[in-house]
Amino acid sequence: MHIYETKTFDLPTLEGISDKSVEEHLGLYSGYVKNFNAMTELLQDLAKDSEKNAHALSELIRRRSFEFGGMRLHEHYFAQFEGGAKEIENDSKLAQALTKQYDSVESVVTQITHVGNMRGPGWSILYYDPQSESFHIGFTGEQHQGHFVTLPIIIALDVWEHAFLLDYGAAGKGKYIDAFFKNLNWSVIEKRFENVKKEA
Amino acid sequence: MHIYETKTFDLPTLEGISDKSVEEHLGLYSGYVKNFNAMTELLQDLAKDSEKNAHALSELIRRRSFEFGGMRLHEHYFAQFEGGAKEIENDSKLAQALTKQYDSVESVVTQITHVGNMRGPGWSILYYDPQSESFHIGFTGEQHQGHFVTLPIIIALDVWEHAFLLDYGAAGKGKYIDAFFKNLNWSVIEKRFENVKKEA
Amino acid sequence: MHIYETKTFDLPTLEGISDKSVEEHLGLYSGYVKNFNAMTELLQDLAKDSEKNAHALSELIRRRSFEFGGMRLHEHYFAQFEGGAKEIENDSKLAQALTKQYDSVESVVTQITHVGNMRGPGWSILYYDPQSESFHIGFTGEQHQGHFVTLPIIIALDVWEHAFLLDYGAAGKGKYIDAFFKNLNWSVIEKRFENVKKEA
Amino acid sequence: MHIYETKTFDLPTLEGISDKSVEEHLGLYSGYVKNFNAMTELLQDLAKDSEKNAHALSELIRRRSFEFGGMRLHEHYFAQFEGGAKEIENDSKLAQALTKQYDSVESVVTQITHVGNMRGPGWSILYYDPQSESFHIGFTGEQHQGHFVTLPIIIALDVWEHAFLLDYGAAGKGKYIDAFFKNLNWSVIEKRFENVKKEA
């Protein structure tokens, strides 16, 4: 089985998201990678007596995507800050596609924000469906519940409590989301969208 | 918002999965398309008074991926039977990649079968991660819970009760899974894998 | 650890729910009891090397309530038919309490029916909260998701596909729910409520 | 519909759980009460056009138990600290029952701790099943997922990130759980068990 490695991110100092918060957040990310690999290994071990361990194997299978999601989503998350905050190009393919579906980029940011402010830990995610050439905004509980299956991710906004509690307190999700968008490097987002369009 | 349309599938008579069962199953599929579109529409309607309807909007957002998954997964499912049963080509890229990771194609079929036999309704799914060039087998509860986020699907095996109960009774999931693999057109599966490899 | 035993139910012939369907349903119920006990046993076994098996132990813990719910909910379900269909007594404590909160017994039956017709497998449940002296109608996904924590159950309506597919087909949930209420022995339900009131 | 009110708790200064953390935690608790009532009200409003709003009604129904759980579980949680830390009485009915099933009280505390250290936000809960006269330890995701249906709660240990992040950082769950048990008033727990036994 493939062993995944923890990636490193070239992160600038963020505005409104403290270094300490980022450092702890990166620690959680590496925990997902470590635990995904550990579950993979344990699965192989328990499979040696698959009849006796049938229930344990089932439940590990059921949960592995939690760790995978924690790994992959955080990789999307941190990459969005690399290179520093940068506004969207008004005439980029992404800006045009978003404007076509949502009237304006501001409008889609508002909707992602609303979804991020939903109750409970999770992610507010902008997916793109190449088949229908349309975007979908979804809310993911934990790391693996509620995804739009197979769709590539354009923007991934983490709204677990660990993302904001240290900087803004238990009721501070709204302020954190504002900070998230201030630090976003939209050129990373634009490239994601272009890569998806190329494949489609 | 994009309105999705129900696809039609050119299905042969299946061995061990009755026409009546397929017909009812296709009816459920079209229900997902219809309900996804209806939720999209209702979202837009309730958004006119987004403050008053905040909770309703949240919960519709939380659930839309259920209908999307029901739509997209069934499209993967039925397409796998189009053209009639066909064995895997031993020297296809898919056969080679599966053999490399799982020792043999038989072995991966056994594992997908085991996961399909897990308790509860859902799907046993073979995903491919182009980034790590490895496959993952996962179990999805309902249509949207537990997915390997963003990963394309190579094989989608429906193990909701509606897939097998009519033909094999409440305890007949195992027999149905055997029938599923007997009817699989592996050339469809091979093409899926090749398309994913091309994009990567 | 306590080993649970499969209960037997003194069931009359039901109207609109076939003997074959009931027989298969009882088979599923005994599966929950068997699997709950098996998970309990496996947990104890894996706990001998709790460090190595930590992930497996976690996932078994996470899932045991699924089997427990499948066991306990079906015990509520089948008991409701014992003694044969019997209408609610207009002046029973239950009838009075339901009428007070929902205007009429018909109205609460309609609401339980609506909730039962929600999409996806699960249960439509009438709970009673002795603390606030009020009823709540909820929808439970699978056997363990979405419960009103700690609340005793007054009516449990199974809406998994296995409850209706054999008799009414994949789209026949509505007809099955009507049959469910036709066969209900309300004196069982009244006694449940009286027992809960006594304790409170 | 019954309107729930936010309870107040007579809390001592806790050891290892800061006043600020408790204050924010109480704020979250009152949010659950407020949101449960708001969802109840919105349900009644949308029910006026139940056909048009069918999907919204369904999703509100599906989610109400999240808010109810957040309310009821936190009421169990804070009440456990009222009156200040107090050890378990060795000859109390609870101590005897726990010792009978788990060999010692220390052993059950260790198991609740292990379950609390499972990955993801939720609760580690000690339930009691009066019917089988046995305890079950479970892990609840969010506030409403994975409960042992109908069972009364003896101990409720909150392991959402908001419970520990402010005092111990994102990786500090273990230290928080130790602090939780140091502050527990076991006489509250003993009384809960005695009340459940009386009812059974």
Side-chain angles (χ1 to χ4, degrees):
Chain A
M1 278 293 218
H2 180 79
I3 300 303
Y4 285 87
E5 304 210 352
T6 305
K7 300 193 175 180
T8 52
F9 302 93
D10 189 11
L11 295 177
T13 299
L14 301 179
E15 195 186 323
I17 302 178
S18 68
D19 287 354
K20 184 166 171 43
S21 188
V22 170
E23 187 194 341
E24 297 218 345
H25 206 163
L26 286 166
L28 294 173
Y29 156 61
S30 75
Y32 286 106
V33 182
K34 198 186 82 180
N35 279 286
F36 183 78
N37 290 330
M39 287 179 84
T40 302
E41 203 181 338
L42 182 58
L43 263 178
Q44 289 179 313
D45 198 55
L46 293 174
K48 286 170 197 157
D49 192 345
S50 65
E51 203 169 327
K52 185 186 126 193
N53 295 315
H55 277 291
L57 290 163
S58 290
E59 297 319 314
L60 288 167
I61 289 282
R62 215 182 287 279
R63 189 72 177 174
R64 264 178 94 225
S65 58
F66 168 78
E67 304 291 352
F68 184 87
M71 174 176 69
R72 197 52 59 93
L73 288 168
H74 280 107
E75 287 166 2
H76 279 81
Y77 179 77
F78 290 116
Q80 298 168 143
F81 301 133
E82 288 189 308
K86 191 159 176 305
E87 294 198 4
I88 194 168
E89 298 280 348
N90 282 329
D91 58 352
S92 68
K93 279 184 187 163
L94 177 63
Q96 288 172 5
L98 288 174
T99 302
K100 193 179 157 200
Q101 182 171 337
Y102 296 100
D103 288 333
S104 68
V105 174
E106 289 69 33
S107 163
V108 72
V109 166
T110 301
Q111 289 193 36
I112 295 170
T113 299
H114 279 167
V115 171
N117 276 314
M118 281 167 55
R119 288 172 64 69
W123 295 76
S124 174
I125 296 180
L126 179 71
Y127 304 88
Y128 183 72
D129 180 9
Q131 202 173 309
S132 65
E133 300 193 341
S134 66
F135 297 93
H136 294 298
I137 300 172
F139 185 88
T140 292
E142 294 196 84
Q143 312 288 3
H144 60 325
Q145 311 291 41
H147 282 301
F148 277 73
V149 62
T150 72
L151 299 195
I153 288 175
I154 308 299
I155 297 178
L157 164 56
D158 192 344
V159 290
W160 280 57
E161 293 177 320
H162 60 244
F164 61 85
L165 209 143
L166 221 55
D167 292 329
Y168 296 104
K173 205 201 281 186
K175 284 180 190 164
Y176 152 76
I177 293 177
D178 290 345
F180 170 84
F181 279 111
K182 267 187 204 135
N183 288 290
L184 210 55
N185 181 348
W186 278 92
S187 73
V188 172
I189 312 296
E190 288 167 330
K191 254 175 237 145
R192 273 185 199 159
F193 180 67
E194 280 160 35
N195 285 335
V196 167
K197 290 290 284 182
K198 216 184 302 167
E199 290 167 18
Chain B
M1 278 291 219
H2 180 80
I3 299 304
Y4 285 87
E5 303 211 351
T6 305
K7 299 192 176 179
T8 52
F9 302 92
D10 189 10
L11 295 178
T13 298
L14 301 180
E15 194 187 324
I17 302 178
S18 67
D19 286 355
K20 184 167 170 45
S21 188
V22 169
E23 187 194 341
E24 296 219 345
H25 206 162
L26 285 166
L28 293 174
Y29 156 62
S30 76
Y32 286 106
V33 182
K34 196 187 83 179
N35 279 286
F36 184 78
N37 290 330
M39 287 178 84
T40 302
E41 203 181 338
L42 182 57
L43 264 177
Q44 290 179 312
D45 198 56
L46 293 174
K48 287 170 195 156
D49 192 345
S50 65
E51 202 169 329
K52 185 187 127 192
N53 295 315
H55 277 289
L57 290 163
S58 290
E59 298 319 315
L60 289 168
I61 288 282
R62 213 183 288 276
R63 189 73 179 173
R64 265 177 95 227
S65 57
F66 167 78
E67 304 290 353
F68 184 86
M71 173 176 71
R72 197 52 57 96
L73 288 168
H74 281 106
E75 287 166 2
H76 279 80
Y77 180 76
F78 289 116
Q80 298 168 143
F81 301 133
E82 288 189 308
K86 192 160 175 302
E87 294 199 3
I88 194 167
E89 299 280 348
N90 283 328
D91 58 351
S92 67
K93 279 186 188 164
L94 176 63
Q96 288 173 6
L98 288 175
T99 302
K100 193 179 156 199
Q101 183 170 337
Y102 296 100
D103 289 332
S104 68
V105 174
E106 289 69 32
S107 162
V108 71
V109 166
T110 302
Q111 289 192 38
I112 295 170
T113 299
H114 280 167
V115 171
N117 276 313
M118 282 169 54
R119 289 172 65 67
W123 295 76
S124 174
I125 296 179
L126 179 71
Y127 304 88
Y128 184 71
D129 180 9
Q131 202 173 306
S132 66
E133 300 193 341
S134 66
F135 297 93
H136 294 299
I137 301 172
F139 185 89
T140 292
E142 293 196 84
Q143 312 288 3
H144 60 326
Q145 310 291 41
H147 282 301
F148 277 74
V149 62
T150 72
L151 298 195
I153 286 175
I154 308 298
I155 298 178
L157 164 56
D158 191 343
V159 290
W160 280 57
E161 293 177 319
H162 59 246
F164 61 85
L165 211 143
L166 221 54
D167 293 328
Y168 296 104
K173 205 201 280 186
K175 285 180 190 165
Y176 153 76
I177 294 178
D178 290 345
F180 170 83
F181 279 112
K182 267 187 203 133
N183 289 290
L184 210 56
N185 181 348
W186 278 93
S187 72
V188 172
I189 314 294
E190 286 168 330
K191 254 175 236 144
R192 275 186 197 158
F193 181 66
E194 279 159 37
N195 285 336
V196 167
K197 289 291 284 182
K198 214 183 306 170
E199 290 168 16
Chain C
M1 279 291 218
H2 180 79
I3 300 302
Y4 285 87
E5 304 210 352
T6 305
K7 299 192 176 180
T8 52
F9 302 92
D10 189 10
L11 295 176
T13 299
L14 301 180
E15 195 186 322
I17 303 179
S18 67
D19 286 353
K20 183 166 171 44
S21 186
V22 170
E23 187 194 340
E24 296 219 344
H25 206 163
L26 285 166
L28 294 174
Y29 156 60
S30 75
Y32 286 107
V33 182
K34 197 186 82 180
N35 279 286
F36 184 77
N37 289 330
M39 287 178 83
T40 302
E41 203 181 337
L42 182 58
L43 264 177
Q44 288 179 314
D45 198 55
L46 293 174
K48 287 170 197 157
D49 192 345
S50 66
E51 202 169 328
K52 185 185 126 192
N53 295 315
H55 277 290
L57 290 164
S58 290
E59 297 319 314
L60 289 167
I61 289 281
R62 212 182 288 278
R63 190 73 178 175
R64 264 178 94 225
S65 57
F66 168 78
E67 304 291 352
F68 184 87
M71 174 175 71
R72 197 52 58 95
L73 288 168
H74 280 107
E75 287 165 2
H76 279 79
Y77 179 77
F78 290 115
Q80 297 168 145
F81 301 131
E82 289 189 308
K86 192 163 177 299
E87 293 197 5
I88 195 167
E89 297 281 348
N90 283 328
D91 58 352
S92 67
K93 280 185 186 163
L94 177 63
Q96 288 173 4
L98 288 174
T99 303
K100 194 179 157 200
Q101 182 170 336
Y102 297 99
D103 289 333
S104 69
V105 175
E106 289 69 34
S107 162
V108 72
V109 167
T110 302
Q111 288 192 37
I112 296 170
T113 300
H114 280 167
V115 171
N117 276 313
M118 280 168 54
R119 289 172 63 69
W123 294 76
S124 173
I125 296 180
L126 179 71
Y127 304 88
Y128 183 71
D129 180 9
Q131 201 173 308
S132 66
E133 300 192 341
S134 65
F135 298 93
H136 295 297
I137 300 171
F139 185 88
T140 293
E142 294 196 84
Q143 311 289 3
H144 60 327
Q145 310 291 42
H147 282 302
F148 277 74
V149 63
T150 73
L151 297 195
I153 287 175
I154 308 301
I155 298 179
L157 164 55
D158 192 343
V159 290
W160 280 57
E161 292 178 320
H162 60 245
F164 60 85
L165 210 142
L166 222 54
D167 292 329
Y168 297 105
K173 205 200 282 185
K175 285 179 189 165
Y176 152 77
I177 294 178
D178 290 346
F180 170 85
F181 279 111
K182 267 186 204 136
N183 288 290
L184 211 55
N185 181 348
W186 278 92
S187 73
V188 173
I189 313 295
E190 286 168 331
K191 254 175 237 144
R192 274 185 198 158
F193 180 67
E194 279 160 36
N195 286 336
V196 167
K197 288 292 284 182
K198 214 185 304 169
E199 290 167 18
Chain D
M1 279 291 219
H2 180 80
I3 299 303
Y4 285 87
E5 303 211 352
T6 304
K7 298 192 175 180
T8 52
F9 302 92
D10 189 10
L11 295 177
T13 299
L14 301 179
E15 195 187 323
I17 302 178
S18 67
D19 286 355
K20 183 167 172 43
S21 186
V22 170
E23 187 194 340
E24 296 217 346
H25 206 162
L26 286 166
L28 293 173
Y29 156 62
S30 75
Y32 286 106
V33 182
K34 197 186 82 180
N35 279 285
F36 184 78
N37 290 331
M39 286 178 85
T40 302
E41 202 181 338
L42 182 58
L43 264 177
Q44 290 179 312
D45 198 55
L46 293 174
K48 286 169 197 157
D49 192 345
S50 65
E51 202 169 329
K52 184 186 127 193
N53 294 316
H55 276 289
L57 289 163
S58 289
E59 298 319 314
L60 288 167
I61 288 282
R62 213 182 288 278
R63 188 76 179 170
R64 265 177 94 226
S65 57
F66 168 79
E67 305 289 354
F68 184 86
M71 173 175 72
R72 197 52 57 95
L73 288 168
H74 280 107
E75 287 166 3
H76 279 81
Y77 179 77
F78 290 116
Q80 298 168 144
F81 301 132
E82 288 188 309
K86 193 160 175 302
E87 294 197 3
I88 194 168
E89 298 281 348
N90 282 328
D91 58 352
S92 67
K93 279 185 187 162
L94 176 63
Q96 288 173 4
L98 288 175
T99 303
K100 194 179 156 200
Q101 181 170 336
Y102 296 99
D103 289 334
S104 69
V105 174
E106 289 71 31
S107 163
V108 72
V109 166
T110 302
Q111 289 192 38
I112 296 170
T113 300
H114 280 167
V115 172
N117 276 313
M118 280 168 54
R119 289 172 65 67
W123 296 75
S124 174
I125 296 180
L126 180 71
Y127 304 88
Y128 184 72
D129 180 9
Q131 201 173 307
S132 66
E133 299 193 341
S134 66
F135 297 93
H136 295 298
I137 301 172
F139 185 89
T140 292
E142 293 197 84
Q143 313 288 3
H144 60 327
Q145 311 290 42
H147 282 301
F148 277 74
V149 61
T150 71
L151 298 195
I153 287 174
I154 309 299
I155 298 179
L157 164 56
D158 191 343
V159 291
W160 279 57
E161 293 179 319
H162 60 246
F164 61 85
L165 210 143
L166 221 55
D167 292 329
Y168 296 104
K173 205 201 280 185
K175 285 180 189 165
Y176 153 76
I177 294 177
D178 290 345
F180 170 83
F181 280 111
K182 267 188 203 133
N183 288 291
L184 210 55
N185 181 349
W186 278 93
S187 73
V188 172
I189 313 294
E190 287 168 329
K191 254 175 237 143
R192 274 186 198 158
F193 181 67
E194 280 159 36
N195 286 336
V196 167
K197 290 290 284 182
K198 213 183 307 168
E199 290 167 17

